[in-house]
Amino acid sequence: MVMELKTFALPSQPVEVFVRVSGTTYESASILDIWKSLSVTINYYTANSFSATVLLTPANIKLFVPDTLLLIDKCFYYVDKVTCDNLENGTFQVSGNSLFAKTSTRIVYRTYTQTKRAELICYDHLRNEVVAPSDSKRKIGYLDVASPAVLTSSTIQYQNSYGVVQEEIETLCDTYDFGFKEVGTFSNGAVKNQVTFFKGRDLSNVVEFSAEFENIGEETYENSNYDERTTALIWGEGEGSARKHTQVNNSLTGIDRKELYVDARDLQKTTDDVTMTDAQYLVALQERGKKKLAETPRVLAANGTVDLNSSLFVYGVDYEVGDRVKRTSTAFGLQDSQVLTSVTKTWDETGTYLDGVFGRESKVKILGK
């Protein structure tokens, strides 16, 4: 049985499909204006993603293959997975990520030791390993990066060798609370996403999401310390009693102290023609510990479906991904300010939906206490 699909239009412009000619040269091949469902997730700290259920036809099977590109809301996405679980449905599934995710195929191909702000380190990784590497074979031609503004308040002591570029950048963004966005352009066969690092606005005194305001529904709640670690014990170069070591949050005690061992033997005090002082090396070890602790946080979140029909606050006008907003849930006794870390837009035969993930918490106030 072939399922009848309805036609939907994105709010800003149709979804355009591009096929690869050679390298990162592409040509426009089609407009995707018929589908069963389409979801796009826009993230603050990480690459964006998409998924679509489209009509199963010979033309579509030929069109939607790995590395086909989709231009959705002024951002290019590449296909990396195509599946069909049931021929009887008459549809198949296509999914992938924004072009930034291609940095998962590049490593920090050097010993990189710098004392810089975190956003400048992210910029260096993209320039050195992806956008303009010394070895032209490593260049990914459809990515570019803008020189960042000042996003963080101080420098960090950082060293890395052979890390995955995507992982290093996304971890730095998450640890130091800034993000990035991608804007796509197409000209004479040249596809391009420009990556821009940015810091969201603090709108917590202006924008509030609450069931009482009727601008959020289908609330979900999670409060977990299952994976939480609070104190990092970091060990660097050396052997036995001579091995360099330091700590992060070492003053915590009792059940508030949840220790994480961090093996940072790859961090070296002397690399190439750069030698850190003892104090600088310990700071570099501590930065590694902070990164690892950022990967094991306590989870406290009350998320939900944002009401697109609410005139109180309009996405893309009054707020966007990366902004800090107030989140109130009387159902779960929670009120705090949180960064809107992710928004998923979904279009299907029943309508258009916007799901928000309020991911990074500040101090939480328990209502009624």
Side-chain angles (χ1 to χ4, degrees), residues 25-41:
T25 299
Y26 280 76
E27 64 181 12
S28 178
S30 177
I31 298 295
L32 178 63
D33 56 1
I34 299 177
W35 62 80
K36 181 185 177 185
S37 65
L38 172 66
S39 292
V40 177
T41 300

Side-chain angles (χ1 to χ4, degrees), residues 35-288:
W35 62 80
K36 181 185 177 185
S37 65
L38 172 66
S39 292
V40 177
T41 300
I42 303 166
N43 297 310
Y44 185 42
Y45 304 122
T46 62
N48 301 338
S49 62
F50 85 96
S51 62
T53 300
V54 299
L55 193 64
L56 180 61
T57 67
N60 279 345
I61 288 293
K62 184 177 180 180
L63 182 64
F64 292 104
V65 296
D67 285 328
T68 287
L69 301 184
L70 280 70
L71 181 60
I72 308 173
D73 276 350
K74 299 181 181 179
C75 178
F76 278 103
Y77 297 76
Y78 66 91
V79 174
D80 64 8
K81 188 176 183 180
V82 181
T83 59
C84 179
D85 298 326
N86 189 341
L87 284 171
E88 294 299 317
N89 288 338
T91 61
F92 66 102
Q93 291 70 48
V94 181
S95 60
N97 299 283
S98 58
L99 300 188
F100 177 86
K102 283 292 187 181
T103 61
S104 67
T105 66
R106 295 294 183 270
I107 66 170
V108 180
Y109 195 39
R110 66 193 68 219
T111 300
Y112 178 92
T113 303
Q114 292 288 339
T115 303
K116 285 186 175 182
R117 298 194 312 274
E119 63 271 22
L120 291 177
I121 295 170
C122 292
Y123 174 79
D124 283 353
H125 283 336
L126 274 177
R127 288 287 301 174
N128 294 343
E129 316 298 346
V130 178
V131 174
S134 56
D135 183 350
S136 62
K137 296 191 299 295
R138 305 184 66 230
K139 180 177 180 177
I140 298 178
Y142 53 33
L143 280 171
D144 201 358
V145 58
S147 180
V150 176
L151 306 178
T152 55
S153 59
S154 59
T155 61
I156 63 173
Q157 188 72 45
Y158 175 93
Q159 183 184 118
N160 186 265
S161 300
Y162 315 120
V164 176
V165 171
Q166 181 182 9
E167 294 175 1
E168 290 300 312
I169 291 175
E170 291 181 350
T171 300
L172 284 166
C173 288
D174 189 29
T175 302
Y176 297 98
D177 196 20
F178 61 93
F180 60 89
K181 61 182 68 174
E182 299 170 69
V183 176
T185 58
F186 178 71
S187 177
N188 298 322
V191 166
K192 191 79 69 176
N193 265 10
Q194 183 175 64
V195 179
T196 301
F197 295 100
F198 74 103
K199 178 80 171 179
R201 302 164 295 177
D202 188 349
L203 303 177
S204 57
N205 291 327
V206 179
V207 178
E208 181 175 356
F209 289 93
S210 168
E212 283 65 39
F213 288 170
E214 298 184 346
N215 60 356
I216 196 166
E218 297 183 13
E219 291 186 292
T220 63
Y221 173 74
E222 181 179 3
N223 189 348
S224 170
N225 64 358
Y226 181 79
D227 292 320
E228 182 188 30
R229 297 294 181 270
T230 59
T231 298
L233 307 176
I234 314 104
W235 295 78
E237 67 178 10
E239 300 294 335
S241 60
R243 192 175 180 190
K244 304 290 185 182
H245 61 93
T246 187
Q247 309 85 27
V248 174
N249 295 337
N250 195 41
S251 62
L252 293 175
T253 62
I255 62 173
D256 294 324
R257 183 184 179 95
K258 301 176 181 180
E259 295 177 347
L260 175 68
Y261 167 69
V262 179
D263 185 350
R265 197 185 302 270
D266 61 299
L267 292 182
Q268 297 295 304
K269 184 177 177 182
T270 300
T271 57
D272 299 329
D273 57 349
V274 177
T275 299
M276 288 185 276
T277 65
D278 287 342
Q280 288 175 327
Y281 184 65
L282 290 180
V283 170
L285 292 176
Q286 289 166 356
E287 293 298 336
R288 176 65 64 82

Side-chain angles (χ1 to χ4, degrees), residues 290-304:
K290 292 176 184 177
K291 276 178 48 179
K292 294 301 182 182
L293 287 177
E295 297 171 5
T296 57
R298 177 176 178 176
V299 175
L300 178 56
N303 302 316

Side-chain angles (χ1 to χ4, degrees), residues 286-352:
Q286 289 166 356
E287 293 298 336
R288 176 65 64 82
K290 292 176 184 177
K291 276 178 48 179
K292 294 301 182 182
L293 287 177
E295 297 171 5
T296 57
R298 177 176 178 176
V299 175
L300 178 56
N303 302 316
T305 301
V306 178
D307 183 3
L308 287 175
N309 295 317
S310 172
S311 59
L312 192 59
F313 305 112
V314 179
Y315 177 74
V317 177
D318 300 305
Y319 69 97
E320 60 184 0
V321 168
D323 290 338
R324 182 175 289 277
V325 299
K326 182 179 287 187
R327 180 71 181 92
T328 302
S329 174
T330 54
F332 300 113
L334 217 161
Q335 183 181 71
D336 61 351
S337 65
Q338 297 179 326
V339 173
L340 181 62
T341 59
S342 178
V343 160
T344 298
K345 302 178 183 180
T346 300
W347 299 267
D348 62 23
E349 63 266 30
T350 64
T352 304

